[in-house]
Amino acid sequence: MKISLNWIKDYINLNDISVDEIVEKLTTSGLEIEEVIDEAKNFENIVIGFVKEVKKHPNADKLSLCIVNDGQEDFHVVCGAPNVAEGQKAVFAKVGAELPGAGFKLKKAKIRGEFSFGMLCAEDELGLSNNHDGIIVLDESAEVGKPFSEVLNKNDVILDIAVTPNRADALSHIGVARDLAALFDRELVLPEIKLQENEKEVGELAKVIVENEIDCPRYVAKVVTDIEIAESPEWLKKKLLSIDLRPINNIVDVTNFVLHEFGQPLHAFDLDLLADKTIVVKNVERNTKFTTLDAKERILEETDLMICDAEKPVAIAGVMGGENSEVTENTKNILIESAFFRPSAIRKTSKRLGLSTDASFRFERGCNPEITIQAANRVAQLISEIAKGKIAKGELDIYPNKIEPKVVALRFSRLNKVLGFEVAKDEVLGMFKKLQFQLVESDENKSSFEVPLFRHDIEREIDLIEEVARIFGFARIPAVEKISVALEEKIDQTKFDFKLRRQLTGLGYYEIITNSLLNEDNAGYFDNPISVLSPQTIEMSHARTSLIPGMLQTISRNIRVKEKNLKLFEIGHVFKLNNGNEVNSFDDITENEHLLIAVTGKKFESVWYDEDTKFDFYDLVGTVDEILKKNSFDKYLSDNYILDEDKVFDFHIEKKFKKEVVIVGGKVKKKLLSKYEIDQDVFLFDFNLDLLQKINTGEPAYHDLLKFPKVVRDFAFILDKNILYIDVVSEIKKGSSKLLKKIKLFDIFESESLGAGKKSMAFQLEYYDEARTLTEEEIEKDFWNVIERIKSKFNAELRGS
């Protein structure tokens, strides 16, 4: 955004402040200056000179020897222009001047034996035109010694500012002047608005109806009649040209001027072209065609907010007006629009149409609903002055639900703690006064401020602290001579994640990173969806409740490009509602870090000595067991095999710590896979890393190798289908001695041959003692004790007996 310092000086006195100081202060306060264009520097050391004497050069017929006065001293100058004459006032470039059109720096020169201490300039040498017929001869009224930049009105400094999206308040000259007033402790002087309204009420001339009050919370209309369309006065054209805006006519130029003065976009409609002299703010039907001011036809959606008259659309709200209501040379009466539109509504329309304007740029970031009348009155005042218009009495102000400003408290103890040094209370209050924050109440401990509606970025106490820091100035922060650091163990929260990444990549898995925002359908499939306040698209409208949608989308995209054999993992955060379906505070949301691993396709491609081998569930189980074993979690978790399907899995395993499910994984249902156009099996496991890290595994310890042999026994039981694996394991442990060290489920089988509602579960038991060799008798006793206990407890039948 370009800002003219000469223009800014209309609102703040900057006379004794250098451009370098202004640039440094603005940049360090958050308004980064990308470029400084000092127009006067192009004509530095170039002044109005008086030609006191002209005589022939003794050694050259076409050269003259001149004596030129710059208002202080005389200079000998060799000149080759045919039109140079005694008594002229001309443009004189002194030694050291860089000529804009010539591309070189003037030096003292000896020309045909005579020294020349400067140059009388032609138009082309100054970059003003291609004319080189002779030197520039000025009017007799020209002041000798005056910088030529002032004669050309090239004495402005233009700042190109990179305004961040959160600082919409700085998208105007008054907005930047407001920051400068706070930074340099100067007074901000706003333009005085005095209207000479006629007796005719605005309600007699026009009508405004707002149907969509959500996207248009406030709409102000002002009417000016009997205007004369003409070229803008020089002062107005100069202001617009200084920031690279092309003057069009006095009406359009005034709306552009006030936009860049106050930061409030405005639009002028030809009132006589509005059907029934009526404005209706509403959404139109999908596929409605509309031609904008750039003569392009746009196809509208039902989500696009439009400004209509009683019959047709006349403007795309907050973006661009239409050809059918534009101000032309025949316009006599105008309606001035000054509105506040919902930022996300304008942003969606602008992005969808690929149409960005000065107006949409500001509306997207948030304007000031309180300034709409002031801006409309400013436009009406200027049009009355330069277009001889008559201002109708009053304005049409549709503002059904007044937007109330926030009140935010600032504790001085918190301010000093965060900044690390003390800022005087009076200085803090003075800063916020300059920034136009209203003081609500104050005592020795804290002050509360009413946040102006143009500061959409100020929501919390920490935001006020940031304001103090940027206005106070980072250069003023006192140096810290000594810093005390506590010598205590530091916890690296990312260490565990990096360890998992290293282990999984070592096992041949590739990491993916997916979007943490999903559409409502995908987010709601796994849990109650949590909507975001201002989604950019409907595809990113809700926080993810699971990593599974992102994983399946990635698998689907890879399959479409013939990458069908995949081993993938992702570490990311998921969000869940604690209770109910509404979010009233952050306490209603739980955020957990998860790890999701998945395999699909073939484990091995066919070769001459072997056939294709597809991934199966147990390949992934092996990965999970390896990860748990490497991180010493394996002996703390118990398995629960669930053969019944749910909305995600055909079958799955739960790994629990005590009674809490930490890991769940299985074969993904084909119904879910079909949503993502996946036609091959996918197996995945979902780890809750926050719960997993709560397990205290202790420090790794060295253990001697086992010196005595292990004894392994297998058995298989036919049980009722509803009996859980975890319950069987619990009974095995209860019926065994300390000699039993490991229980492994190695087979689950279901068949009609077993009987209705029956299943077979096969276990492997491992026995040993660290201090001795076990006898056959004690193993058999322990083993058969387990078998009898399971028979009795579950009415189970031992297979093969």
Side-chain angles (χ1 to χ4, degrees), residues 211-212 215-216 280-290 292 297-308 313-320 341-355:
E211 293 186 6
N212 186 343
D215 290 341
C216 180
V280 183
V281 185
K282 64 179 182 178
N283 298 85
V284 295
E285 294 181 0
R286 187 179 186 184
N287 294 327
T288 298
K289 295 180 180 179
F290 178 70
T292 45
E297 187 176 80
R298 315 281 178 177
I299 307 299
L300 305 175
E301 295 285 340
E302 65 271 13
T303 55
D304 296 329
L305 185 68
M306 299 296 294
I307 310 299
C308 306
V314 293
I316 302 174
V319 181
M320 185 178 281
F341 299 115
R342 187 166 64 93
S344 59
I346 305 305
R347 181 168 56 250
K348 286 178 183 177
T349 297
S350 176
K351 293 290 185 288
R352 189 186 64 76
L353 293 174
L355 182 59

Side-chain angles (χ1 to χ4, degrees), residues 14 17-33 159 167 176 179-185 427 431 469-476:
L14 298 173
I17 303 172
S18 71
V19 173
D20 289 342
E21 284 182 277
I22 292 170
V23 169
E24 182 184 0
K25 286 271 192 178
L26 285 176
T27 299
T28 57
S29 69
L31 298 180
E32 182 185 355
I33 309 299
L159 305 180
R167 289 297 310 277
V176 175
D179 267 20
L180 288 172
L183 291 166
F184 292 102
D185 194 22
E427 186 173 0
M431 290 177 191
R470 74 180 190 88
I471 300 301
F472 183 83
F474 296 108
R476 292 178 60 198

